[in-house]
Amino acid sequence: MKIRKAVFPVAGLGTRVLPATKAMPKEMLTIVDKPLIQYVYDEAREAGIEHFIFVTGRNKNVIEDHFDRMFELDATLAARGKKAEQEILAQNQPDAGAVSFTRQQAPLGLGHAVWCARDIVGNEPFAVVLPDELVLNTPGCLKQMIETAATVGEKSNLIAVEAVPDHLTHQYGICGVGKRTGKMFEVDGMVEKPAKGTAPSNLSITGRYILQPEIFKILETQERGAGGEIQLTDAMIGLARSQKFYGVEFEGERHDCGSKPGFLRANIAYALKRPELREGLIAEMKKYLGQ
C-alpha cells in the first residue's frame, strides 16, 4: 500500500489558546524555533509523503506563505553572508508542485475538513495528520504507521492510538481491541466520546490516520455528530463495516499543542532534545525554581 499524499486540516480557530490565535493561526505558533505546521510537514516528509494537502480557512494565508519562497529575505541573507540561515530555509522548502491548498468555508468538523480534500487526494489511500498534535520520536509516528501499513491488506485503514487514563476516556474517540500482533491490533469497534464507564478500552484515537478513499463517499452524506460537527470517527465507523481497521500503538511522546499546558510542555520537551539548548534551559529552570 503506497501512501503518497497527506492531508493537514488547518482551518480550526484555535479557541483553546486564545488570545494568541486571534490574529495568528494556531498552526504557526512556535515550538522552540519552528511553527507547529513545520514539525508535522517534516514528519510527513520523513515518512515518504510526496504531496502535502492543506485544508485551510479564513486568515490562514500565512501558512501558504510559510511554504513559499520569500525573495526579499533570501536576497538579504545572501547579501549579509548568512549561509547557515539560507540552508535552513532551503531545507524547509517543498518541491515545486508538491503542496496544495483548499478551503473549508465553514467550521463543520474534522470529517468535513477531510472531505474538502477529496478531489486532490483522488482514488488512492492517504494519510491525515493533525498539526496540533506532535509526537516526539525518531522515526516519526507517521513513518511507523506507513511501515505497518506495508504488512496488512490493500484495503486496510490504520489509526494511531495511545493509552489514556480510564477516567478520561469520555473525552476521546476510543477503539475496541481485537486480535493483536505486537503493537498492532484489529480494531473491534469505535466510539466518539463514550459516556463515563462505557468505553471499550482506554486506547484513544490520536491525530494520525491512514485511510482508504472510500471514506469520502461516507463523509459526503455523514450526519453531524458530537458537538454538532461532522466527525471523522463516525465516518470511520461506517467504513469499518466493509473494510479492516487496525490500531497502531506508536513509539514516542505525544504533545497536545492545542491546549496551553500541552503547548508549554512541548516547548520544554523539544528544547531539552536540542544539545545546544539543553544545558542552558536546565540552568534557567533550576534558577527559576530556586534550586
Side-chain angles (χ1 to χ4, degrees):
M1 189 164 45
K2 174 68 173 175
I3 313 298
R4 299 189 313 113
K5 298 179 180 180
V7 175
F8 303 85
V10 294
L13 298 175
T15 54
R16 290 190 293 164
V17 286
L18 283 169
T21 51
K22 180 181 178 181
M24 176 190 292
K26 68 176 179 180
E27 298 82 11
M28 292 302 295
L29 296 176
T30 54
I31 301 297
V32 187
D33 57 1
K34 290 197 301 186
L36 284 168
I37 195 65
Q38 185 68 53
Y39 283 97
V40 290
Y41 169 84
D42 291 342
E43 179 185 332
R45 186 165 59 175
E46 177 209 25
I49 295 299
E50 301 169 6
H51 195 156
F52 308 84
I53 304 164
F54 297 89
V55 182
T56 70
R58 287 176 55 81
N59 300 323
K60 300 281 185 166
N61 293 338
V62 67
I63 297 174
E64 190 168 347
D65 291 340
H66 177 73
F67 289 104
D68 199 359
R69 288 191 62 187
M70 186 179 291
F71 293 99
E72 298 89 342
L73 179 58
D74 289 343
T76 300
L77 293 176
R80 295 178 180 176
K82 294 185 176 292
K83 293 184 179 179
E85 288 81 358
Q86 283 183 286
E87 289 174 1
I88 291 173
L89 293 180
Q91 291 169 5
N92 296 339
Q93 184 69 42
D95 295 333
V99 178
S100 295
F101 294 86
T102 188
R103 281 226 174 178
Q104 182 187 25
Q105 287 88 353
L108 296 178
L110 176 59
H112 182 260
V114 171
W115 180 76
C116 289
R118 64 198 181 282
D119 288 337
I120 304 175
V121 171
N123 190 32
E124 60 182 281
F126 63 102
V128 176
V129 183
L130 303 192
D132 54 3
E133 294 191 19
L134 300 185
V135 177
L136 181 54
N137 195 74
T138 302
C141 180
L142 189 58
K143 185 171 184 178
Q144 295 175 50
M145 293 182 69
I146 287 178
E147 289 174 350
T148 303
T151 69
V152 298
E154 273 192 5
K155 286 296 181 180
S156 297
N157 304 266
L158 292 89
I159 52 179
V161 301
E162 179 186 49
V164 297
D166 290 336
H167 68 281
L168 295 180
T169 53
H170 65 285
Q171 298 179 6
Y172 300 89
I174 301 292
C175 58
V177 179
K179 183 180 177 181
R180 179 181 283 276
T181 305
K183 290 188 174 292
M184 181 184 73
F185 59 88
E186 294 183 10
V187 172
D188 182 18
M190 291 174 274
V191 57
E192 180 67 26
K193 297 181 180 179
K196 288 185 177 181
T198 66
S201 76
N202 70 335
L203 293 176
S204 69
I205 300 170
T206 66
R208 304 289 186 273
Y209 312 80
I210 292 175
L211 300 171
Q212 297 296 324
E214 286 78 11
I215 194 79
F216 293 124
K217 279 292 183 184
I218 297 173
L219 287 169
E220 190 170 349
T221 56
Q222 181 68 52
E223 295 182 358
R224 298 192 186 196
E229 298 181 336
I230 297 173
Q231 297 289 346
L232 182 61
T233 301
D234 292 340
M236 293 193 298
I237 291 170
L239 185 59
R241 298 189 183 104
S242 59
Q243 294 183 358
K244 284 277 192 182
F245 270 79
Y246 295 92
V248 180
E249 292 186 78
F250 57 88
E251 294 182 5
E253 187 177 85
R254 174 178 169 266
H255 296 274
D256 177 11
C257 300
S259 72
K260 292 176 184 178
F263 177 76
L264 293 171
R265 180 172 176 263
N267 267 285
I268 294 171
Y270 276 79
L272 288 173
K273 289 291 184 180
R274 297 268 293 269
E276 76 278 17
L277 299 176
R278 179 180 173 84
E279 186 175 332
L281 176 59
I282 292 175
E284 289 297 327
M285 290 172 66
K286 287 182 176 179
K287 186 190 306 181
Y288 181 78
L289 296 172
Q291 297 180 3

